Amino acid sequence: MNDFAANLTHWQRMHGRNALPWQGGNAYQVWISEIMLQQTQVATVIPYYQRFLAAFPTVTALATASEDQVLAHWSGLGYYTRARNLYRAAQHIMQRHSGNFPHSYDSIVALPGIGRSTAAAICALALKQRHAILDGNVKRVLARYHAIKSYPGEKKTEALLWQHAEDLLPTQDIAVYTQGLMDLGALVCTRSKPLCSACPVQRNCAAYQQGITGQLPVPRPRKALPERHSTFILLLNGNDILLERRPATGIWGGLWCPPQVENIKDAGNYCTQHYGEDAQYARVLPVFTHTFTHFKLHITPLRLQVQRKRLHATEPGQIWLAVQDALQAAIPAPVRKLLLGLQIT
């Protein structure tokens, strides 16, 4: 075993995270945790993971649930494409693997929503197979260890990092080593103020030797985020609110949201068209901003009371729910914030 791997595995056993709820779990359980941990911190994931596994303890339970049930248990974690891909992958496993989570890297990486690093993590942590991972924490560790002075998101730099990840793989204790890489990035080799004095591989870290640890990895070139505007129509009938399902693609795909239009004037036209004189007590609530990875969305909530619901049936993709029931549905975080703030009179 090379020095890097030997020092890291020893450190992991002594100082790493060894009581996470998915550790020692089967491939299905590790898969759920790895998908949840993409773009989300461990402390946030743990209660979601526990509730999700209680609701969907097996591939079969996940595949036979409704998409709404899956999205409702995911609500609040964000990046909802992850949840939809989990659901699709579970059905794929039922159809092509008789409901048994596959145990080969090629079969795992072929599942919807699973990339090279996630497949490798499942193989290493659950199946003890020798595969290299390269998530965000590991990129940071390796960029510093090898003093790589280019942005890790560039194709050439990422290819170089993958090569280093492969070269450092030990031939034994692969699960401990893989967990150690994750733990080192999360606990010691952190984005800001890394704890170099506690690092088990400090002696051979090129960035530490050169005094440039704080400058690496090279950050993404900054670009101003585009800004968009939307008006949410909070259409209330007593304690019930009208929600409509978002299209499957795009932001909040498949989730339930209030009707959305571009501006207040369009909101007025919407209400006049659908409710006429029944629409009363319009009140514009404070604007707030929700930031996505690639843009900022400025949301203007318009609260509107209607005396009665439309006499004809709700259009397909729309539903009236009591606000408390809506809070249990598959809704995105900004909608949850709005519903929690409603003072129903």
Side-chain angles (χ1 to χ4, degrees):
M1 186 180 290
N2 61 73
D3 286 347
F4 179 92
N7 291 333
L8 185 60
T9 53
H10 175 74
W11 174 85
Q12 201 286 325
R13 289 190 171 102
M14 298 295 294
H15 305 289
R17 298 174 294 190
N18 293 295
L20 298 174
W22 47 83
Q23 287 179 317
N26 58 36
Y28 172 74
Q29 294 164 340
V30 172
W31 169 49
I32 299 298
S33 71
E34 284 298 312
I35 300 300
M36 286 188 170
L37 287 166
Q38 294 170 359
Q39 296 109 1
T40 311
Q41 297 295 318
V42 167
T44 300
V45 163
I46 288 174
Y48 279 93
Y49 171 84
Q50 292 170 329
R51 289 192 295 267
F52 199 92
L53 262 291
F56 314 112
T58 63
V59 172
T60 301
L62 180 57
T64 54
S66 70
E67 184 176 286
D68 266 357
Q69 289 173 318
V70 175
L71 289 172
H73 279 81
W74 195 272
S75 180
L77 275 175
Y79 301 93
Y80 292 93
T81 298
R82 296 181 296 169
R84 292 194 297 274
N85 281 334
L86 268 180
Y87 187 55
R88 289 174 53 214
Q91 295 174 327
H92 179 109
I93 293 168
M94 292 297 293
Q95 295 164 4
R96 303 190 184 184
H97 301 282
S98 302
N100 299 309
F101 196 93
H103 281 198
S104 74
Y105 173 86
D106 288 344
S107 295
I108 294 172
V109 81
L111 295 173
I114 297 186
R116 179 179 176 182
S117 186
T118 300
I122 296 168
C123 288
L125 296 173
L127 306 173
K128 312 301 186 288
Q129 296 175 6
R130 189 175 182 269
H131 292 278
I133 67 167
L134 193 66
D135 65 9
N137 280 336
V138 178
K139 286 181 179 180
R140 184 168 59 254
V141 169
L142 297 184
R144 287 172 173 166
Y145 188 75
H146 293 284
I148 296 173
K149 299 171 185 176
S150 53
Y151 171 53
E154 296 176 357
K155 287 186 178 180
K156 287 184 179 180
T157 306
E158 187 171 34
L160 177 61
L161 288 168
W162 270 115
Q163 186 59 58
H164 286 311
E166 297 281 356
D167 292 343
L168 290 170
L169 271 181
T171 55
Q172 61 191 44
D173 293 332
I174 191 65
V176 179
Y177 170 81
T178 301
Q179 186 64 53
L181 270 178
M182 296 175 173
D183 292 350
L184 187 66
L187 304 177
V188 175
C189 195
T190 51
R191 183 175 288 106
S192 61
K193 299 180 180 179
L195 304 175
C196 295
S197 61
C199 179
V201 296
Q202 177 213 88
R203 185 166 62 90
N204 295 317
C205 176
Y208 180 77
Q209 292 170 351
Q210 297 174 32
I212 57 172
T213 307
Q215 301 170 35
L216 298 178
V218 172
R220 178 198 300 269
R222 286 196 174 186
K223 294 182 180 179
L225 287 177
E227 302 191 21
R228 303 180 189 174
H229 298 265
S230 181
T231 296
F232 281 21
I233 305 174
L234 306 178
L235 205 58
L236 298 165
N237 174 255
N239 195 44
D240 293 350
I241 187 167
L242 180 69
L243 298 177
E244 55 187 26
R245 191 188 293 277
R246 296 281 299 172
T249 57
I251 62 169
W252 303 324
L255 301 187
W256 293 95
C257 294
Q260 296 176 48
V261 292
E262 288 191 8
N263 51 51
I264 295 292
K265 180 180 178 181
D266 289 344
N269 293 338
Y270 176 94
C271 295
T272 299
Q273 177 183 351
H274 293 286
Y275 290 92
E277 295 181 357
D278 272 347
Q280 299 177 13
Y281 312 121
R283 182 153 61 94
V284 179
L285 304 181
V287 177
F288 68 99
T289 300
H290 186 75
T291 302
F292 294 90
T293 306
H294 301 298
F295 70 95
K296 291 182 178 180
L297 181 64
H298 302 290
I299 299 170
T300 301
L302 177 66
R303 176 175 171 171
L304 193 68
Q305 192 77 33
V306 294
Q307 297 302 307
R308 52 188 174 182
K309 299 169 188 175
R310 283 183 298 193
L311 295 177
H312 56 278
T314 303
E315 294 180 3
Q318 292 186 335
I319 189 172
W320 284 93
L321 288 175
V323 171
Q324 289 302 315
D325 291 336
L327 285 167
Q328 306 305 313
I331 57 176
V335 174
R336 184 174 303 278
K337 177 180 178 179
L338 284 172
L339 296 188
L340 286 171
L342 283 177
Q343 298 297 316
I344 306 301
T345 59

